[in-house]
Structure formats: C-alpha cells, structure tokens
Amino acid sequence: MLKILGKIGLLVPALATATVWLVVLRLKNVPVPLLGAYGLLLIGLVAGLLWPGVLGRRVTRRRVLTFVGVPVGLGTLALYLTVVYHVKDLPMLLALAGAACLAGAVSALLRGRRRADDQGTRRTRRALLLGGAGLVLGMLSGLSIGPVERQRREMLARGEHERQAAMRAPGARRRITDGAVRVFPIHIGDTIVTYGQFYGGLDGWEGLNGYLRTLVDKAQIAVPVYAYLIDHPRHGPMLVDTGVNWEQAHDHDGYYDMTSRLLTERDEYRMSPGQDLRVHLARLGYDVKEITTVFLTHVHDDHAGGLRYLPQATVVMDRRDWKHGVLYPYSFDLVKDNLSFPAFDSGAFGTFPASQDYFGDGSLVLLPTPGHSPGHMCVLLRLDTGSVLFMGDTLYTLSHLATGQVRQMTIGGADTIRQLEAAQRIQQLLSSDPGVVPLFAHDNTRYQFDLVTSTFTDGTPGAAGLWELRRHMQTVLTPEWRLRPGHTPRFVAPASGPGLGKVEFR
C-alpha cells in the first residue's frame, strides 16, 4: 500500500510538471497535433517508469527509457531549441552538459572498481571518455562566453546606429518654452494581444479561464502602446508611463531570462527605430536626461520598459503595485532606488474617496484605480483650458467606457469588482466635468490615431481641441455610457493564412 501511495505521490507532481510544460509550449504556438503526440509520449514515459507492466509483461524500465525516454528527451531538446533557446544560453547549456558527463564518469568509475573482469575495464574506459568529454564541454562553455557577449554588443550597436539615424531624419522640432503646459502623445511601438484579451471580458475572458483561452485562441491583433510627455513650466519635463524599450521589441529573448521567456511570447512587441522613447523625446526637442519625474500608472512591462533610459528620474507609483504587481523586474533595475510612493492623503476627489495632490498646487492629481493591477492609478493633469485624465489600463480604449458592452480581460473576483468600480468613478468624473478629456494607453480607434494625435500636435490642445475630443466622445457614447451604432468592435480574421487580424467597428 505504501509503495502504491509513493508512486502516486511521484505521479502527481510529474504530471503537473508535464502539464505546465505543455501549456508553455502552446503559449509558444507549437502546433496542437505535435503537442498532442509529444504529450502522449510524456504520459507514457511517466507511467512506464512507475508501472512498466502497464505497457506489457516483458517491458522493463530500461526499455521504457530506451524506447520512450530517448524520443521524449530528443523531442524536449528540439522543442526547447525551437521556442525557448537564445544564444546567451549557450555557455550554461555547455556547462550543464559537461557537468552531466562528469557525473556519468564518476558513476561509471565507481561501478567499474567493483569488478575486476572485462565489464569493469569497459566501465573504467567509459568513465575516462565521459570525463574527457566533460572537460572539453567545460572548456567550450568558458570559451563561448566571449563570442556570445560580442554578438550581443554588435546587435546593440546596430540598434544604436538605427536610433541615431532616426534622430537625424527630417521633421524634428525645437522645444517651445512659452510657459504653457504641454502634453505630447508618444506612440512607442505596438503589442500583440489576443482579440478576446482586449475585447472579450464579457465573453468569458476573465481570470484563469481567460488566461487559458489566450493559449488556445490565437486570433491576435496589434494595438498601440502610448506614453505621454508632460512639459510643465513649474515642474519640468515628466512622463506618464514609458512604454517598452528597444530590447524588449528587438531582443526579447535576450532581455528576459529563461523563466520569463517561458511565460512570454517572443514577438509580443514591435517597434520601429523612430518609435523608440529616446528618439521621440529628441525629435520633440527634449533630452531623455531632462525627465525629472515618471508617473507610472502600473508596473506592467509594456508601461515600465522605458524606465531603463531614465535612471535619474523619480518614479511615482502605488506601493501596492511595487509589492505585489511586478512580474518581471528587469525594467526597474536602474530606478529601484528612486521610487516614490504616494500616500493618497489629499482627501476625496469627486467620486474618488482618496487622491494625491502630488505637487500640492492642484496641477497634477493621482487617483487610485486598482483592479487591472493591485496598485493601478490614473493621473489627472490641469491644463490652461481644461484637464486630461491619463487612463493607463483601467480602460483600454474610448469604447471600453461602455463597460456594459465592451470589456477587456480582467483578473477575476474582487479585482474585477475593483476595476469596474474604478471605471464607474471615471465615468462619473467625465460626466460631472465636461472639461476633462480621457487619454488612453492602448486605444486602437480613430479617437486616438486621428483626433488625439492631431489635437496635441504642438502639445497645447486649447479649448477648441478639448471640445472637439469631447464632441467625438458623444458621437461614440450615449450619456448613459452605451455605444452608439457603428462603434461596436468586431474581429476580422486575416484574408489568408495565419497572421494578425483587424478590428472593425459596426
């Protein structure tokens, strides 16, 4: 009985590990038929090692290892090299292979000493061969470090060359210093997401179920990633979010470690040289070193990646996000000593029970909007002719303000409730103050691409510009926050074969 329980105790974690690995491979777009065949081999290996008799009376564990284990091992290596491997792994892989050879050599040597016959001699000879192979692999591991680092330096140098060329391209402007508060939308590349993740929150895309659906449903779209530059006459140049950095888009696997690579998609970001944060700032007449403050709506990597270019800036974010929301810490390595956590002790702000008047002069107010992340916050900036509300990911697009009809994937449970409560407070704020205009981080509609971009061309929208944005909101949404006809999103599959779909509004 104890033996059976022990085998069951081994079976459960083995199957759990295999399931996680299969899920990771599906996330990496491994075809389902191939994944199914590989999964059956994994199950056969686990079952055969624990209960070899299941596969036949004459089946032994050695045969299971030979006829099932070897194909599984080769398949695992092939899948790893195909979907996870990055050149920076080479020294580690060689070192692991060398260590395995040395361990095999020690085992063969110890077993060979126990016998004085020909088999003992063969085992000793095998130990010497394995030991030699282990030493060679160890030397290759050390020798490979230099070329791997050189390859990465060359790649970064090519990126720097492209960035400098983008900075020198015609059309750059000089910084305007006339005492006005200016806001510039900065389109920092795109992120590739599942359509249901972006628009399917009312169709079952919620919590764990939603995440699992992203593994199976590959109807994907590209949506923009926006940060916003604020030039304030009293408080200097600031940013709301920072978008992604060049390495995330062009050297994704090199930027993330192996564990993170398993949980992210290789092509999740794309960015042209001209969309680099540093290029954007330079072409607007600013130096990235001038940025004094970054207001981070939340810690997700598509909003925090550009922090690597801003080691001098104070990064203002909710403490709850820092403690409980960071998934990949790489973006924060250079600013983790410059973090500032607002206390939200400035009292209520409209329908928001708490707020933070950051500078103490009413010019910029932080509003807690948890749900999408533990400490998500929105930022309200006073302009000369009105206000803008930086939404972060509380709501992705203008259409998402119709929360009863359009919803992004939410975390589920209490977090979904908190996010919807935050959205309702935003609706009430926009209803009560017609001078407030929402600005989104991922809006893929005409509102962002045409109106926001043109209205903020020189950073100062003026009363007429803000009124035009509010007027467009009224053509999309009713006063009860319902979508008007012609503005309901719909996924359009690519015309031929796999690829990115589009979103139409009908």
Side-chain angles (χ1 to χ4, degrees):
M1 184 64 180
L2 290 176
K3 188 175 182 180
I4 293 175
L5 291 175
K7 288 185 176 183
I8 292 175
L10 293 173
L11 177 65
V12 172
L15 290 180
T17 302
T19 300
V20 171
W21 175 232
L22 290 172
V23 168
V24 166
L25 292 175
R26 182 54 194 152
L27 180 65
K28 301 296 184 181
N29 294 320
V30 174
V32 173
L34 177 60
L35 209 56
Y38 175 69
L40 290 175
L41 281 175
L42 280 177
I43 294 172
L45 177 63
V46 172
L49 290 176
L50 293 175
W51 295 283
V54 172
L55 302 179
R57 291 183 179 181
R58 306 178 73 177
V59 175
T60 62
R61 288 188 174 88
R62 178 172 292 182
R63 289 187 175 182
V64 170
L65 285 172
T66 301
F67 295 105
V68 182
V70 170
V72 166
L74 293 175
T76 301
L77 180 61
L79 288 168
Y80 164 76
L81 292 174
T82 302
V83 302
V84 182
Y85 171 77
H86 187 266
V87 66
K88 74 176 185 180
D89 296 341
L90 182 61
M92 180 194 67
L93 292 176
L94 290 172
L96 288 175
C101 286
L102 291 175
V106 171
S107 174
L109 186 62
L110 292 176
R111 293 170 63 192
R113 285 185 174 181
R114 295 174 186 169
R115 305 186 62 142
D117 55 9
D118 291 342
Q119 190 171 2
T121 302
R122 286 196 297 271
R123 287 177 177 174
T124 301
R125 190 181 301 118
R126 186 185 307 160
L128 292 174
L129 290 173
L130 286 172
L135 292 174
V136 170
L137 288 170
M139 292 176 60
L140 290 175
S141 173
L143 292 172
S144 68
I145 294 175
V148 168
E149 291 182 347
R150 190 181 312 115
Q151 185 266 355
R152 182 163 177 77
R153 287 196 302 269
E154 291 173 354
M155 181 206 60
L156 293 175
R158 289 194 298 271
E160 176 65 15
H161 176 75
E162 293 176 355
R163 184 170 69 87
Q164 292 296 331
M167 284 185 176
R168 293 191 298 268
R173 64 177 70 179
R174 291 184 178 181
R175 180 177 173 181
I176 304 172
T177 55
D178 58 0
V181 180
R182 280 184 157 74
V183 174
F184 296 97
I186 300 178
H187 182 188
I188 308 181
D190 299 323
T191 180
I192 310 302
V193 299
T194 305
Y195 174 82
Q197 176 185 346
F198 202 73
Y199 282 113
L202 292 171
D203 298 321
W205 293 74
E206 182 177 345
L208 179 61
N209 179 59
Y211 176 74
L212 292 176
R213 290 182 70 171
T214 65
L215 305 178
V216 179
D217 188 335
K218 293 301 178 180
Q220 294 181 318
I221 58 175
V223 297
V225 177
Y226 274 90
Y228 292 88
L229 170 66
I230 301 171
D231 189 357
H232 200 283
R234 293 193 302 277
H235 308 302
M238 303 174 284
L239 285 171
V240 176
D241 293 333
T242 64
V244 296
N245 61 53
W246 187 91
E247 291 174 79
Q248 285 173 282
H250 295 276
D251 186 32
H252 184 275
D253 288 357
Y255 181 73
Y256 293 100
D257 66 16
M258 188 182 299
T259 302
S260 300
R261 269 184 268 144
L262 292 174
L263 302 175
T264 57
E265 291 200 49
R266 179 170 286 167
D267 300 320
E268 65 177 326
Y269 302 119
R270 63 187 190 185
M271 174 197 296
S272 68
Q275 292 175 329
D276 187 290
L277 174 64
R278 297 163 294 181
V279 175
H280 268 296
L281 292 176
R283 294 182 63 78
L284 288 171
Y286 298 82
D287 190 310
V288 69
K289 296 178 182 178
E290 294 181 273
I291 303 300
T292 58
T293 311
V294 175
F295 297 98
L296 204 61
T297 60
H298 62 297
V299 294
H300 293 169
D301 249 19
D302 56 329
H303 295 253
L307 290 176
R308 295 187 66 81
Y309 308 139
L310 302 159
Q312 78 287 347
T314 298
V315 180
V316 183
M317 60 186 294
D318 193 307
R319 186 184 298 273
R320 291 170 295 181
D321 245 26
W322 178 246
K323 286 186 174 181
H324 308 295
V326 177
L327 297 177
Y328 312 112
Y330 322 106
S331 300
F332 294 90
D333 286 347
L334 302 180
V335 299
K336 58 188 176 184
D337 295 328
N338 302 343
L339 303 181
S340 174
F341 304 115
F344 295 106
D345 57 2
S346 299
F349 186 91
T351 57
F352 288 87
S355 67
Q356 185 70 57
D357 180 357
Y358 185 75
F359 294 110
D361 57 5
S363 61
L364 188 142
V365 180
L366 308 178
L367 302 171
T369 51
H372 181 76
S373 68
H376 192 288
M377 68 181 187
C378 291
V379 180
L380 181 84
L381 174 70
R382 303 286 190 191
L383 302 177
D384 299 332
T385 54
S387 302
V388 289
L389 180 65
F390 302 100
M391 306 286 281
D393 281 0
T394 302
L395 299 167
Y396 283 158
T397 73
L398 186 64
S399 301
H400 284 80
L401 278 164
T403 54
Q405 296 172 280
V406 178
R407 189 177 301 171
Q408 65 225 53
M409 188 174 79
T410 56
I411 297 177
D415 288 308
T416 295
I417 294 173
R418 282 191 280 267
Q419 188 167 350
L420 291 177
E421 288 175 346
Q424 290 169 1
R425 291 193 176 101
I426 289 171
Q427 290 172 345
Q428 292 165 356
L429 174 62
L430 294 174
S431 295
S432 63
D433 189 346
V436 178
V437 167
L439 296 178
F440 301 90
H442 300 294
D443 196 308
N444 63 338
T445 72
R446 177 173 174 263
Y447 177 76
Q448 182 76 32
F449 289 138
D450 293 341
L451 299 178
V452 170
T453 299
S454 61
T455 300
F456 287 87
T457 297
D458 68 353
T460 53
L466 295 180
W467 179 87
E468 181 63 26
L469 291 175
R470 288 294 300 231
R471 191 188 68 80
H472 178 76
M473 286 176 57
Q474 294 169 5
T475 67
V476 175
L477 298 153
T478 69
E480 295 76 30
W481 302 104
R482 303 283 297 177
L483 288 175
R484 297 187 189 276
H487 297 284
T488 301
R490 176 180 174 272
F491 178 73
V492 179
S496 60
L500 297 178
K502 296 182 180 181
V503 180
E504 289 184 352
F505 295 89
R506 298 181 178 178

